[in-house]
Every structure is written in C-alpha cells, then in structure tokens.
Amino acid sequence: MKKMVLVAAAAGLMSLAACNQGTPAENAGDAMAANLEMEADNMEMMADNATTESEAMMLENAADNLEEAADNADATGEANVANAM
C-alpha cells in the first residue's frame, strides 16, 4: 500500500514538473526577449560612455527600441501559447 502511494505521488510530481517547462514557442520568445534585453543593456552602457550628447541620445534611442522589441517578442511567444490552447 505504501508503495502505491509513493508511486502515485511520484507520478503527480512528474506531471507537475512537465507542465512547468513551457512550450517551444514560449521558450523561443523568452530567449529572444532575453537576448534583446541584453543587447539593450549593452547599448545603454555604450551611451554612458559616449563622447557626444547626440551619440548618447542615439544609443539610448536604440536601447529603447530594443527593449520594445523584447517586450513584443515576449508577448508574441505568450500569444502563440494562448492561441495553441
């Protein structure tokens, strides 16, 4: 009897672990968003080290655009998952 309970508990935990991994579309969206956010952070650091005000503003604008693209990539991945269900 104890073995049956242990097996049932293990099966339940395995099914919960499988649900937490996400779909390939969601994982791809998350990875793309993370990469774009890292690139935006790099642009912001470059803007901090810029020699002219116009160069700093250009790099800050590029960083803002990359952050928007990251948000869109994340939202697209979530929308693909919602549409699949």
Side-chain angles (χ1 to χ4, degrees), residues 4 7 11 15-16 20 23-24 34 38 54 57 61 64 73 78 83:
M4 289 294 278
V7 169
S15 66
L16 286 175
N20 198 18
T23 64
M38 284 189 290
S54 62
M57 288 175 52
N61 286 337
D64 291 341
E78 290 173 5
N83 290 337

Side-chain angles (χ1 to χ4, degrees), residues 21-34:
Q21 292 178 357
T23 64
E26 187 177 21
N27 292 339
D30 289 344
M32 184 180 291

